Amino acid sequence: MSGAAAFAQDPRPAAYLARMDADRDGRIVLAEYQDWLCYGFDAMDRDHDGVLSSAEMPGGRGQAITRTTHRARLAVAFARQDRNHDGALDARELAAPPP
């Protein structure tokens, strides 16, 4: 089950955190966040070249984006959600939309 689908079926922050928490320490660090949220990119990257071309994007439109750029954007979102700036997200931070 993809990350978004899992969250849509079980919106409880603690349950979502448990799915993302690869090392089971109760916190989501940047790499876990990026790895989990790259599922959509990976699913759309049909030729597995690490680049979403316009043809691979919904509607066949949009500017190409690399997986590296996508992960960098996720890092920005992670930093905004990490409200206490401890380098990890807890269930409460994960549930809150980025400011």
Side-chain angles (χ1 to χ4, degrees), residues 35-50:
D35 291 348
W36 182 263
L37 292 174
C38 276
Y39 69 89
F41 184 101
D42 295 340
M44 289 188 296
D45 186 13
R46 292 185 296 267
D47 60 7
H48 309 289
D49 66 352

Side-chain angles (χ1 to χ4, degrees):
M1 177 179 308
S2 73
F7 188 63
Q9 291 179 9
D10 192 349
R12 294 171 299 169
Y16 191 48
L17 183 140
R19 287 186 175 90
M20 293 176 75
D21 189 8
D23 64 5
R24 304 289 181 232
D25 68 352
R27 301 164 15 115
I28 304 302
V29 296
L30 177 59
E32 290 170 320
Y33 184 85
Q34 290 169 317
D35 291 348
W36 182 263
L37 292 174
C38 276
Y39 69 89
F41 184 101
D42 295 340
M44 289 188 296
D45 186 13
R46 292 185 296 267
D47 60 7
H48 309 289
D49 66 352
V51 177
L52 287 184
S53 66
S54 296
E56 291 172 315
M57 292 188 192
R61 295 186 200 163
Q63 187 173 358
I65 183 173
T66 66
R67 192 170 202 276
T68 301
T69 299
H70 179 65
R71 287 180 73 87
R73 290 178 181 173
L74 290 173
V76 170
F78 178 91
R80 287 192 320 249
Q81 276 187 275
D82 183 14
R83 295 189 185 207
N84 66 0
H85 309 289
D86 69 350
L89 302 179
D90 59 25
R92 188 178 61 250
E93 289 171 318
L94 190 60

